[in-house]
């Protein structure tokens, strides 16, 4: 009697599991999103949350599997503002969950691969946004500091003064550079391209809602 009771239950549960599982969204799929949280190296720290919203649906085999408007949530993984002549300010982010319009929340593992911000910015292979480094104005400032020091030194002490003045001028400008922060900012509204690091499992209910 017990065997006959248990067997139908097992078959029913197996059938329900099969009905709830659909083909996963493959790793490498791009998610086009718009950032809803402003992120900046001068105001954020590792662990801070962020939100972004899908601007384009994810379509597989002609069917929409993730609708536009779904929310992506994640966290900041790295913030760096170098105080040196070389190096760029950096913001690292990682997408961790997908919230569908129905309210269903799915585990997500996706990395930033691109943004619509130009002007010398970049995204490296670790999904870190690199802000612009020292600009031409800073380079002219450094050259001007050294040249100015050489001019003053030459007027005071001739050739030896030129050498000493150049070192002093460059040194003072270098100190000024080291005291300057270069910030990287991802304003709300920035368009991001995220890439799935692993397949995203969906349910048939999710796939049906996206159609």
């Amino acid at each position: 009697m017990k065997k006959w009771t248990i067997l139908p239950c097992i078959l029913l549960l197996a059938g329900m599991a099969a009905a709830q599982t659909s083909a996963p969204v493959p790793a490498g799929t791009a998610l086009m999103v718009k950032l809803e949280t402003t992120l900046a190296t001068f105001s954020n720290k590792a662990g801070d949350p962020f939100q972004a919203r899908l601007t384009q649906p994810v379509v597989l085999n002609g069917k929409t599997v993730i609708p536009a408007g779904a929310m992506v949530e994640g966290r900041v993984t790295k913030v760096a503002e170098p105080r040196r002549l070389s190096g760029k300010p950096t913001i690292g982010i990682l997408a961790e969950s997908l919230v569908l319009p129905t309210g269903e929340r799915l585990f997500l593992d996706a990395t930033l691969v691109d943004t619509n911000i130009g002007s010398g910015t970049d995204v490296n292979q670790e999904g870190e946004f690199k802000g612009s480094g020292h600009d031409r104005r800073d380079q002219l400032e450094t050259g001007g500091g050294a040249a100015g020091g050489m001019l003053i030194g030459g007027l005071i002490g001739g050739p030896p003064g030129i050498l000493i003045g150049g070192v002093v001028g460059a040194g003072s400008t270098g100190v000024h550079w080291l005291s300057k922060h270069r910030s990287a900012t991802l304003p709300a509204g920035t368009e991001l391209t995220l890439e799935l690091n692993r397949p995203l499992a969906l349910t048939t209910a999710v796939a049906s809602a996206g159609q």
Side-chain angles (χ1 to χ4, degrees):
M1 182 67 179
K2 292 182 179 179
K3 293 182 180 180
W4 287 104
T5 304
I6 294 174
L7 184 57
C9 292
I10 294 175
L11 294 175
L12 178 60
L13 291 174
M16 292 175 61
Q20 290 177 351
T21 304
S22 62
V25 181
T29 299
L31 304 179
M32 312 302 293
V33 304
K34 182 175 290 187
L35 194 61
E36 296 203 340
T37 308
T38 295
L39 301 175
T41 52
F42 58 80
S43 61
N44 286 106
K45 63 182 183 300
D48 283 353
F50 76 88
Q51 291 184 327
R53 194 175 295 277
L54 256 70
T55 57
Q56 299 180 20
V58 176
V59 180
L60 292 178
N61 300 320
K63 295 183 178 181
T64 298
V65 293
I66 304 177
M71 182 73 74
V72 171
E73 297 181 345
R75 60 184 171 85
V76 176
T77 58
K78 179 180 179 180
V79 174
E81 272 191 349
R83 282 177 175 266
R84 57 184 181 181
L85 304 187
S86 62
K88 293 185 176 182
T90 302
I91 302 175
I93 64 173
L94 179 66
E96 298 178 310
S97 62
L98 178 70
V99 184
L100 299 164
T102 59
E104 184 173 359
R105 182 181 297 270
L106 302 173
F107 171 76
L108 181 66
D109 182 2
T111 300
L112 176 69
V113 295
D114 198 11
T115 75
N116 67 336
I117 299 178
S119 304
T121 64
D122 190 19
V123 177
N124 65 16
Q125 293 183 348
E126 287 72 39
E128 297 171 346
F129 172 75
K130 298 284 187 178
S132 58
H134 293 289
D135 57 24
R136 180 170 175 78
R137 181 180 61 184
D138 290 329
Q139 295 169 8
L140 292 174
E141 185 177 300
T142 302
M150 292 175 70
L151 176 61
I152 295 172
L155 292 175
I156 295 175
I162 292 176
L163 178 61
I164 296 172
V167 173
V168 171
S172 62
T173 304
V175 171
H176 175 61
W177 257 34
L178 292 173
S179 68
K180 292 178 68 174
H181 281 282
R182 280 297 176 186
S183 300
T185 305
L186 289 169
T190 299
E191 295 177 3
L192 310 178
T193 303
L194 307 175
E195 186 176 285
L196 293 181
N197 296 320
R198 63 182 67 184
L200 175 63
L202 298 174
T203 65
T204 53
V206 171
S208 298
Q211 295 179 4

